[in-house]
Amino acid sequence: MAGPVERALRERRDAGGKALVVYVTGGLGDDWTDTVRAVADAGADVVEIGVPFSDPVMDGPTIQAASDRALESGATPWSILDQVRDLDAGAPLAVMTYYNIAFRAGLKRFAASLADAGVSGCILPDLPLEETGPWVDAADDAGIETILLAAPTGSEERLVRICARSRGFVYGVGLLGVTGVRSELATSASVIALRLKQVTDLPVLVGVGVGTPEQAAEAASAGDGVVVGSAVVQRMLDGAGPAGVGDLVAGFRAALDAV
Amino acid sequence: MGLNDPTPEGRFGEFGGRYVPETLVPACEELEAAFRGAWADPGFRSRLDGLLADYAGRPSPMTECENLSAELGCRLLLKREDLNHTGSHKINNVLGQALLAQRMGKTRLVAETGAGQHGVATATAAALLDMECCVYMGEVDIRRQELNVFRMQLLGAEVKTAMSGSRTLKDAINEAMRDWVASVEESHYCLGSVMGPHPYPWMVRTFQEVLGREAREQSEAILGTVPDVVTACVGGGSNAIGIFSGFVDADTELVGVEPSGGAAIGRGVPGVVHGSQSYLMQDEFGHVLEAESISAGLDYPGVGPEHSHLADIGRARYENVTDAEVVEAFQLLSRSEGIIPALEPAHALAWVSRDRASLVGRSVVLNLSGRGDKDVAQMMDILGGAGT
Ligand SMILES: Cc1ncc(COP(=O)(O)O)c(C=O)c1O
């Protein structure tokens, strides 16, 4: 049975729309939970909450800086999940963090904590398919949808196996590189979306390197939608506040609605 | 019989594995296949052996320390990796990986470095094989090992500063991995120790096993039997695993020495970072702690997975020493034997010196993994300049 993340994304697709998933760094500023609500109000179908880790190898400078700032202000996985529990965002939530955070907590305990906080999905970018076993057992038991990444370097056969094990959606990595805004959308973004669409019925979203509404529209045309991270987090770092971030997200929503 | 191979998943017991972003999984698989093919190919092996002999200067000698043995009460032998071209054991691994990268059609080497020795070795191999080279180094290490920075530049490498986190080796690895994620099609990540995702811990060990083979033969020739103890410093653990590999099947005690400020096995708990599961210094939430050591090459909160396994099964034991003990040992070897060691192997000597009572009458082979030229400026600061 599909979980809340997958249901929300299918609903958007079935209605003929393109899905928008937005990443917000948990614990960044006092008003980050208001930002999550503003992002959902502005039209994000799912909100990803980054739980900062000391060594985020899949992240570029923007999300690194945001993670450092959140950690310096005392954010911990548990403080973030406590705040999420009371959030009532109005959209399904997924946590994005690195494997050692879950491993250190204990996989069962971490999965149960996510469920307890009302989180529906989880993305662990340094946990590739072959290593997912112990985690997905714990996550499945707790009813958490584990969203897997699929990269341009993967063979056809590998993409098939990733899609078969992914829950919620499959996260197509739009380019060779780490998170961050680029001046142009890589051609690999549409390529990975098309390749994934050929092998799965799961919603296919493209993220990494999708930084402007125009790039979002372009990346979404081949797949079912996009994940936007660094552009939003940069706006948070710049001090735009919940309303300012909401405006940015509304711009992405409008561009996707025009596809 | 040497060390066991890892499982097909790259596990040594529960440790190891391949925890990398999805983008890199195919590259790790390709590397593993290429390494298996190359290692089974006599042409590759003889090319590597030729470079190790005629370019790097292998075999490195084994020196019996008459003066220090008398002082310490044990019979101390040094495996002289300090005499290799580029000044440390790092060249053994780098020549293997660079030849492999070339065989795979890669045109660029990416590396991290702490003390700069691995960076220098990688820049050297890149110059020799006409490849592009980019080395990441933490800002703190760039300051304390500036001679090696300039060496790398002389050799034609680009040195990039890692400004995040503790600005030491751990952060240089993060940056090198981010580079590799973006450049995987043309670049080979030339990792400098027995860590990272499978196949690195196993592959780097295999390239360093030459050290153990030579040391076994040399020590038996000198002692008439195997040594009682083999000891080496442990950062990621490549020089230690290399020399241990020659003695695991013997009745020899294996002792790895970590800095007390970077004692992953001594003070860590199992965790996952930089591609593998291993002992790791981390806080209660799983954030990696910043190591703190006088030696840039050992200033790392993790350790190679096979060492975690050897510790768990009790085949090797791991001690740790303080910076002050290391400074003493650095001077001790310089004065008593006329050999200025790198700060990293001075850790192993610091342990021998501290625990001399337990070593009386026993034979000890110590892997002198590198020479001290790179550390002389730092030691001059610590010891208060050039005295008269
Ligand atoms: C001379 C020397 N020894 C040891 C090390 C530590 O590495 P490993 O533990 O992999 O041998 C270094 C690293 O820079 C080094 O330069």
Side-chain angles (χ1 to χ4, degrees):
Chain A
M1 203 196 67
V5 171
E6 184 175 338
R7 285 202 303 274
L9 300 176
R10 282 187 185 274
E11 206 174 293
R12 174 70 70 180
R13 182 170 73 184
D14 292 347
K18 296 293 183 182
L20 175 62
V21 173
V22 172
Y23 174 100
V24 170
T25 298
L28 178 60
D30 294 335
D31 53 2
W32 73 271
T33 51
D34 296 331
T35 300
V36 171
R37 270 188 294 268
V39 162
D41 287 348
D45 298 289
V46 171
V47 185
E48 253 183 60
I49 299 191
V51 171
F53 174 54
S54 56
D55 293 81
V57 291
M58 200 39 207
D59 287 305
T62 301
I63 293 180
Q64 283 177 49
S67 296
D68 287 348
R69 207 189 278 183
L71 289 172
E72 277 160 22
S73 72
T76 73
W78 310 124
S79 71
I80 290 170
L81 289 178
D82 277 344
Q83 288 177 280
V84 166
R85 187 176 298 105
D86 304 325
L87 187 59
D88 192 20
L93 303 176
V95 151
M96 172 144 173
T97 191
Y98 286 80
Y99 185 54
N100 200 47
I101 296 290
F103 186 80
R104 181 74 167 121
L107 301 181
K108 275 191 192 322
R109 176 168 163 240
F110 191 71
S113 305
L114 294 184
D116 176 59
V119 172
S120 304
C122 185
I123 305 175
L124 300 167
D126 59 343
L127 193 70
L129 184 65
E130 287 74 9
E131 301 289 359
T132 50
W135 164 252
V136 291
D137 288 347
D140 289 354
D141 281 352
I144 297 294
E145 301 167 84
T146 299
I147 297 144
L148 296 184
L149 282 79
T153 49
S155 64
E156 233 50 54
E157 173 270 337
R158 186 167 178 85
L159 297 188
V160 169
R161 284 190 291 130
I162 289 169
C163 291
R165 181 51 257 195
S166 196
R167 300 287 179 269
F169 64 96
V170 56
Y171 189 139
V173 179
L175 49 74
L176 293 182
V178 296
T179 60
V181 173
R182 315 292 201 278
S183 57
E184 277 178 44
L185 185 74
T187 49
S188 50
S190 303
V191 176
I192 189 70
L194 285 171
R195 290 179 65 203
L196 289 166
K197 287 299 287 176
Q198 277 166 11
V199 299
T200 187
D201 178 50
L202 212 57
V204 170
L205 274 67
V206 174
V208 183
V210 180
T212 64
E214 296 69 41
Q215 291 175 354
E218 194 184 336
S221 61
D224 299 316
V226 293
V227 181
V228 178
S230 297
V232 168
V233 172
Q234 187 60 54
R235 192 61 75 95
M236 290 175 78
L237 286 170
D238 293 343
V245 175
D247 287 347
L248 179 71
V249 171
F252 278 95
R253 181 72 267 163
L256 289 172
D257 287 345
V259 174
Chain B
M1 268 295 295
L3 292 159
N4 292 326
D5 284 348
T7 66
E9 297 77 33
R11 299 270 169 180
F12 302 92
E14 70 180 278
F15 301 105
R18 184 178 280 159
Y19 298 90
V20 287
E22 172 59 28
T23 304
L24 295 178
V25 173
C28 290
E29 289 174 342
E30 183 195 349
L31 178 62
E32 181 186 344
F35 172 63
R36 286 182 193 279
W39 204 243
D41 171 5
F44 179 87
R45 296 284 288 273
S46 79
R47 177 112 197 270
L48 177 58
D49 288 346
L51 284 180
L52 287 172
D54 305 329
Y55 187 70
R58 302 210 69 87
S60 70
M62 183 169 282
T63 302
E64 177 155 16
C65 299
E66 307 275 349
N67 302 332
L68 206 44
S69 294
E71 185 174 340
L72 296 172
C74 62
R75 192 166 175 194
L76 182 65
L77 307 176
L78 301 179
K79 177 62 175 158
R80 300 293 306 276
E81 293 299 291
D82 59 319
L83 296 178
N84 294 339
H85 180 44
T86 72
S88 81
H89 70 292
K90 298 284 183 189
I91 193 77
N92 305 331
N93 165 45
V94 162
L95 287 174
Q97 284 198 50
L99 283 182
L100 187 58
Q102 198 179 48
R103 183 180 164 105
M104 291 168 73
K106 305 287 181 183
T107 56
R108 177 174 179 264
L109 297 178
V110 182
E112 83 295 339
T113 197
Q117 290 303 97
H118 175 61
V120 167
T122 306
T124 298
L128 179 70
L129 300 181
D130 193 21
M131 298 173 89
E132 222 185 301
C133 181
C134 175
V135 181
Y136 289 88
M137 191 167 183
E139 194 198 15
V140 170
D141 294 337
I142 285 191
R143 261 188 277 124
R144 60 181 162 178
Q145 306 273 288
E146 66 177 349
L147 276 178
N148 271 344
V149 176
F150 188 59
R151 280 193 186 102
M152 289 184 264
Q153 290 165 342
L154 276 177
L155 292 160
E158 182 185 7
V159 180
K160 288 196 180 169
T161 313
M163 296 292 292
S164 56
S166 55
R167 301 173 191 191
T168 58
L169 182 54
K170 151 178 111 68
D171 312 285
I173 295 172
N174 289 339
E175 291 300 339
M177 288 187 78
R178 291 180 185 121
D179 182 310
W180 195 30
V181 169
S183 66
V184 60
E185 286 172 334
E186 69 276 7
S187 299
H188 168 70
Y189 182 16
C190 186
L191 229 169
S193 192
V194 283
M195 40 193 244
H198 181 54
Y200 284 98
W202 170 58
M203 177 179 73
V204 175
R205 177 193 94 193
T206 306
F207 288 137
Q208 291 292 2
E209 281 176 2
V210 62
L211 234 163
R213 282 194 298 275
E214 289 175 10
R216 175 76 179 255
E217 203 183 300
Q218 292 165 322
S219 58
E220 283 190 10
I222 296 171
L223 300 169
T225 177
V226 293
D228 296 313
V229 179
V230 168
T231 186
C233 64
V234 176
S238 66
N239 87 89
I241 210 82
I243 196 155
F244 287 179
S245 71
F247 300 91
V248 266
D249 63 337
D251 187 17
T252 295
E253 207 183 322
L254 307 175
V255 181
V257 184
E258 302 183 294
S260 59
I265 295 180
R267 297 172 181 204
V269 290
V272 176
V273 77
H274 295 155
S276 53
Q277 181 177 330
S278 197
Y279 281 103
L280 178 66
M281 288 173 51
Q282 54 182 315
D283 70 12
E284 59 179 306
F285 306 113
H287 297 302
V288 182
L289 294 175
E290 298 180 359
E292 212 171 303
S293 166
I294 190 174
S295 133
L298 305 183
D299 207 348
Y300 182 64
V303 66
E306 194 170 13
H307 285 290
S308 293
H309 177 58
L310 292 175
D312 265 18
I313 62 172
R315 181 59 192 94
R317 97 185 140 88
Y318 296 82
E319 299 279 346
N320 58 74
V321 295
T322 64
D323 286 353
E325 290 169 325
V326 171
V327 169
E328 280 301 312
F330 179 89
Q331 296 173 86
L332 178 66
L333 190 66
S334 303
R335 289 210 186 120
S336 56
E337 297 292 336
I339 297 171
I340 300 177
L343 282 169
E344 290 80 16
H347 284 67
L349 185 63
W351 169 71
V352 170
S353 176
R354 186 181 71 200
D355 275 17
R356 66 180 75 179
S358 71
L359 298 170
V360 169
R362 304 174 76 197
S363 52
V364 178
V365 170
L366 186 154
N367 194 23
L368 194 69
S369 57
R371 58 180 176 242
D373 307 27
K374 69 184 175 60
D375 299 315
V376 167
Q378 189 187 350
M379 288 303 290
M380 199 162 90
D381 282 347
I382 290 169
L383 297 174
T388 44

